[in-house]
Amino acid sequence: MTNLPSPDHPPWCLRGPDCAGPGDLHLSRLVGTAVRGDEVIQARLGLWRMDVGPTSPTGLLLELSAGEYVERWPVGLAQSRALAHLSGDLIRRLGPSPASLAA
Protein backbone atom coordinates (compact mmCIF):
# COMPACT_ATOMS: atom_id res chain seq x y z
CA MET A 1 0.00 0.00 0.00
CA THR A 2 2.13 2.84 -1.28
CA ASN A 3 0.93 6.40 -1.45
CA LEU A 4 2.35 7.36 -4.83
CA PRO A 5 0.75 10.42 -6.42
CA SER A 6 -2.45 9.49 -8.23
CA PRO A 7 -5.42 11.54 -9.46
CA ASP A 8 -7.67 8.65 -8.34
CA HIS A 9 -6.60 8.65 -4.69
CA PRO A 10 -6.11 11.48 -2.19
CA PRO A 11 -2.53 11.57 -0.82
CA TRP A 12 -3.72 10.38 2.62
CA CYS A 13 -5.52 7.27 1.27
CA LEU A 14 -4.18 3.94 2.54
CA ARG A 15 -5.24 2.23 -0.71
CA GLY A 16 -6.34 -0.93 1.04
CA PRO A 17 -9.09 -3.37 0.13
CA ASP A 18 -11.69 -0.56 0.25
CA CYS A 19 -10.08 1.07 -2.81
CA ALA A 20 -10.84 -1.48 -5.49
CA GLY A 21 -12.84 0.24 -8.24
CA PRO A 22 -15.45 2.87 -9.17
CA GLY A 23 -17.29 4.34 -6.18
CA ASP A 24 -14.26 3.73 -3.97
CA LEU A 25 -14.26 4.56 -0.28
CA HIS A 26 -10.90 6.13 0.59
CA LEU A 27 -9.76 5.90 4.22
CA SER A 28 -6.79 7.42 6.01
CA ARG A 29 -4.87 5.92 8.88
CA LEU A 30 -6.84 6.33 12.10
CA VAL A 31 -5.24 8.40 14.86
CA GLY A 32 -5.84 7.35 18.45
CA THR A 33 -7.02 9.86 21.03
CA ALA A 34 -6.42 7.92 24.26
CA VAL A 35 -4.76 10.09 26.87
CA ARG A 36 -3.68 7.32 29.25
CA GLY A 37 -4.46 4.24 27.17
CA ASP A 38 -6.71 2.67 29.81
CA GLU A 39 -9.95 4.45 28.86
CA VAL A 40 -12.95 2.10 28.61
CA ILE A 41 -14.05 3.65 25.33
CA GLN A 42 -11.31 4.22 22.78
CA ALA A 43 -11.78 6.93 20.14
CA ARG A 44 -9.86 7.24 16.90
CA LEU A 45 -10.17 9.75 14.05
CA GLY A 46 -9.35 9.57 10.37
CA LEU A 47 -10.39 10.94 6.99
CA TRP A 48 -12.75 9.46 4.41
CA ARG A 49 -13.84 10.22 0.87
CA MET A 50 -16.37 8.39 -1.27
CA ASP A 51 -15.85 8.68 -5.02
CA VAL A 52 -19.43 9.04 -6.25
CA GLY A 53 -21.03 11.73 -8.37
CA PRO A 54 -19.49 15.02 -9.46
CA THR A 55 -18.75 16.12 -5.88
CA SER A 56 -17.21 13.44 -3.69
CA PRO A 57 -18.52 13.49 -0.11
CA THR A 58 -15.70 13.75 2.42
CA GLY A 59 -15.18 14.28 6.13
CA LEU A 60 -13.92 12.74 9.35
CA LEU A 61 -14.25 9.07 10.21
CA LEU A 62 -14.95 8.59 13.92
CA GLU A 63 -14.23 5.14 15.32
CA LEU A 64 -15.42 4.29 18.82
CA SER A 65 -14.58 0.95 20.42
CA ALA A 66 -15.02 -0.82 23.71
CA GLY A 67 -13.26 -4.16 23.80
CA GLU A 68 -14.08 -6.07 20.62
CA TYR A 69 -17.12 -3.89 19.82
CA VAL A 70 -16.19 -1.31 17.15
CA GLU A 71 -18.41 1.32 15.50
CA ARG A 72 -17.30 3.53 12.62
CA TRP A 73 -19.18 6.70 11.75
CA PRO A 74 -18.36 8.76 8.64
CA VAL A 75 -19.23 12.38 9.42
CA GLY A 76 -19.64 14.80 6.49
CA LEU A 77 -17.26 17.72 6.01
CA ALA A 78 -19.73 20.45 7.05
CA GLN A 79 -20.66 18.55 10.21
CA SER A 80 -16.99 17.74 10.89
CA ARG A 81 -16.15 21.44 10.81
CA ALA A 82 -19.10 22.27 13.06
CA LEU A 83 -18.11 19.52 15.52
CA ALA A 84 -14.52 20.79 15.67
CA HIS A 85 -15.72 24.32 16.44
CA LEU A 86 -18.45 23.30 18.89
CA SER A 87 -16.33 20.77 20.76
CA GLY A 88 -13.67 23.42 21.43
CA ASP A 89 -16.31 25.78 22.80
CA LEU A 90 -17.87 23.10 25.00
CA ILE A 91 -14.54 21.83 26.33
CA ARG A 92 -13.52 25.36 27.35
CA ARG A 93 -16.69 25.47 29.52
CA LEU A 94 -15.38 22.49 31.50
CA GLY A 95 -12.54 24.61 32.86
CA PRO A 96 -8.77 24.67 32.44
CA SER A 97 -6.94 21.50 31.40
CA PRO A 98 -4.79 19.69 33.99
CA ALA A 99 -1.66 20.65 31.99
CA SER A 100 -2.44 24.38 32.24
CA LEU A 101 -3.04 24.07 35.99
CA ALA A 102 0.43 22.58 36.52
CA ALA A 103 2.15 25.42 34.67
Side-chain angles (χ1 to χ4, degrees):
M1 293 192 296
T2 61
N3 284 12
L4 299 174
S6 168
D8 300 327
H9 295 276
W12 45 261
C13 178
L14 291 178
R15 299 184 195 184
D18 290 323
C19 295
D24 292 340
L25 174 65
H26 303 281
L27 300 174
S28 75
R29 178 168 279 111
L30 293 171
V31 179
T33 61
V35 176
R36 300 180 313 264
D38 63 347
E39 289 82 2
V40 173
I41 296 176
Q42 299 293 317
R44 299 189 323 159
L45 278 175
L47 301 172
W48 70 274
R49 183 179 94 190
M50 175 67 79
D51 287 344
V52 293
T55 305
S56 299
T58 60
L60 292 177
L61 181 70
L62 174 61
E63 180 186 273
L64 299 174
S65 62
E68 294 179 21
Y69 184 73
V70 178
E71 286 277 339
R72 281 187 167 180
W73 297 89
V75 180
L77 186 56
Q79 286 184 316
S80 295
R81 288 181 173 143
L83 281 170
H85 177 75
L86 292 171
S87 62
D89 288 347
L90 290 171
I91 290 169
R92 280 189 286 280
R93 291 182 191 182
L94 292 174
S97 67
S100 66
L101 292 176

